[in-house]
Amino acid sequence: MNDSINEAELSLIAALRDAQPGFVSGEELADKLGVSRVSIKSRIDRLKEAGFEIDAVRRQGYTLVGEPEALHPLLLELELRALGTDIHWILLEECASTNDEAMRTLTDGARSPLVVISRKQSAGRGRLGRRWHSDDGGNLMLSFGVRPGKPPAFMQRFTVWVGLRLAAKLSAYSGVKVKAKWPNDLLIEGRKLAGILTEARLDSDRMRELILGLGLNINSAVDTWPVEVRSIATSLSHASGRRFSMSAATALVLNELVNAFDDYQNDNIDAEMQQLWDELSAINNQSVTISTYEGAVTGEVVGIDSTSALQLRLPTGEIKTYAAGDVSLSGNYQA
Ligand code: BTN
């Protein structure tokens, strides 16, 4: 749901899609939308300017030949409605950080769940003070904001849960195996596909607003990235050899975020979390080094506990649990 969506334009695209690969006459469209044929023509012209390929043939009408690959608000709304996803979304051309925008909008009283998407960020940030930048239109940058009301100890669990759910969803969508690297990365064959940055406003006993920021390389122009980035990062299209509709991919991600949050709120995630971890964790049973504020420790990943803290078997045989940290793989790594 988005307040600036024009329902007539939405019906126009829906009618053109329904008729595909055939035609729909200007008269039929005018009837359907309750406007004049001249108005249909000017609306069609506007859609063409926005990247829709629409052919007009005398005595047959209009046919939709192609849709813009870039994120388009009307297509996003259509895809969300088709999936039955109830979310309040905002699409910005540019902002400093979607995490800040989502936090501000939610603390101002907006309905939860909410998502802020931006085509560009001037101060996008990652974990540990790193920067996140990719403004080529193929990178999905969004922040999902909710009011969980759960204890702060469950914040990390949401990040890990969403990472695993998205890994499963994106694997099925793209046909390429996507894995989740605790606590916040998605990888394809060891290269970074996406990063998650979760931030919250906390009371002593509960999370007020929780913002999950996601940067996901969908159609990103990997070939234009500096060599040092190319060797550690990838995109869905680079790995699969396919291009994706940014609107459809965004709707898929939003649908999964909403569903994952519902399950999380209903305390309905333990069994699936374990199953997804076994299937899609990039680091399970691997030798890793975790860097925390106490220093770096190397051990073998045993699993995660009920708060999604990482359990490592140290060389001494002792099992130690880490609530937070930056993990790198040591030894022979098979993603
Ligand atoms: C990481 O890998 O360290 C996390 C990267 C998170 C980047 C996203 S892009 C959208 C949202 N807004 C931000 O400022 N950061 C997150």
Side-chain angles (χ1 to χ4, degrees):
M1 192 198 67
N2 174 288
D3 299 338
S4 60
I5 286 293
N6 181 319
E7 290 295 328
E9 284 175 4
L10 212 58
S11 314
L12 181 54
I13 298 173
L16 287 165
R17 274 184 166 191
D18 285 349
Q20 257 179 335
F23 288 79
V24 54
S25 71
E27 200 175 339
E28 207 179 310
L29 288 172
D31 276 357
K32 211 170 235 164
L33 272 67
V35 297
S36 69
R37 282 178 64 178
V38 177
S39 150
I40 292 292
K41 166 126 189 21
S42 66
R43 285 168 199 267
I44 293 271
D45 286 345
R46 272 210 302 280
L47 288 178
K48 281 162 108 172
E49 274 161 32
F52 288 83
E53 290 170 58
I54 301 167
D55 286 349
V57 174
R58 200 180 265 274
R59 279 197 284 276
Q60 293 200 74
Y62 299 101
T63 183
L64 181 61
V65 182
E67 294 180 351
E69 183 188 275
L71 185 56
H72 191 284
L74 292 170
L75 291 179
L76 175 61
E77 182 64 17
L78 273 183
E79 300 287 351
L80 286 171
R81 288 189 192 183
L83 292 168
T85 312
D86 183 18
I87 187 165
H88 174 203
W89 59 270
I90 297 168
L91 173 60
L92 303 173
E93 289 304 312
E94 180 161 8
C95 68
S97 160
T98 53
N99 269 30
D100 295 343
E101 290 295 328
M103 182 62 92
R104 195 177 46 72
T105 314
L106 215 51
T107 47
D108 280 355
R111 176 166 87 88
S112 146
L114 154 94
V115 71
V116 177
I117 309 161
S118 189
R119 296 188 198 273
K120 285 186 178 179
Q121 291 185 122
S122 55
R125 55 180 183 272
R127 283 173 75 237
L128 310 169
R130 293 177 190 135
R131 285 208 57 190
W132 181 272
H133 52 121
S134 172
D135 295 344
D136 62 13
N139 182 253
L140 174 62
M141 292 172 283
L142 62 80
S143 296
F144 177 73
V146 284
R147 296 193 186 87
K150 281 185 186 288
F154 286 87
M155 180 171 159
Q156 173 90 309
R157 193 156 177 72
F158 187 58
T159 308
V160 176
W161 169 240
V162 166
L164 287 165
R165 285 282 293 253
L166 286 179
K169 200 67 186 183
L170 293 170
S171 297
Y173 181 60
S174 66
V176 177
K177 185 94 167 187
V178 178
K179 291 196 167 186
K181 174 172 164 264
W182 185 95
N184 74 318
D185 286 345
L186 296 186
L187 307 180
I188 293 178
E189 290 179 350
R191 293 181 187 191
K192 184 153 168 167
L193 173 74
I196 294 174
L197 175 69
T198 313
E199 298 174 318
R201 218 158 62 95
L202 306 174
D203 281 347
S204 58
D205 60 341
R206 70 187 175 118
M207 291 181 257
R208 276 174 179 271
E209 290 85 13
L210 177 66
I211 308 296
L212 182 137
L214 172 73
L216 169 62
N217 301 321
I218 297 179
N219 288 331
S220 317
V222 173
D223 297 340
T224 65
W225 290 348
V227 178
E228 63 278 14
V229 180
R230 240 183 288 166
S231 60
I232 54 168
T234 189
S235 74
L236 222 48
S237 69
H238 185 76
S240 69
R242 290 167 48 198
R243 305 287 299 178
F244 297 90
S245 152
M246 289 296 290
S247 307
T250 303
L252 179 99
V253 166
L254 296 188
N255 181 255
E256 198 54 18
L257 290 173
V258 170
N259 291 339
F261 179 66
D262 276 353
D263 292 342
Y264 170 83
Q265 277 303 83
N266 296 330
D267 295 320
N268 188 21
I269 67 174
D270 290 349
E272 193 182 340
M273 180 95 153
Q274 189 57 51
Q275 186 200 328
L276 289 174
W277 174 267
D278 292 342
E279 229 174 89
L280 295 172
S281 163
I283 61 169
N284 209 20
N285 304 319
Q286 308 268 348
S287 170
V288 301
T289 300
I290 183 163
S291 307
T292 69
Y293 62 92
E294 289 175 322
V297 178
T298 296
E300 192 194 318
V301 176
V302 177
I304 43 175
D305 73 6
S306 61
T307 62
S308 297
L310 190 69
Q311 297 167 314
L312 287 192
R313 184 180 293 108
L314 305 188
T316 56
E318 180 197 357
I319 307 260
K320 258 196 107 174
T321 302
Y322 296 88
D326 202 31
V327 169
S328 59
L329 288 137
S330 37
N332 289 331
Y333 168 47
Q334 294 292 312

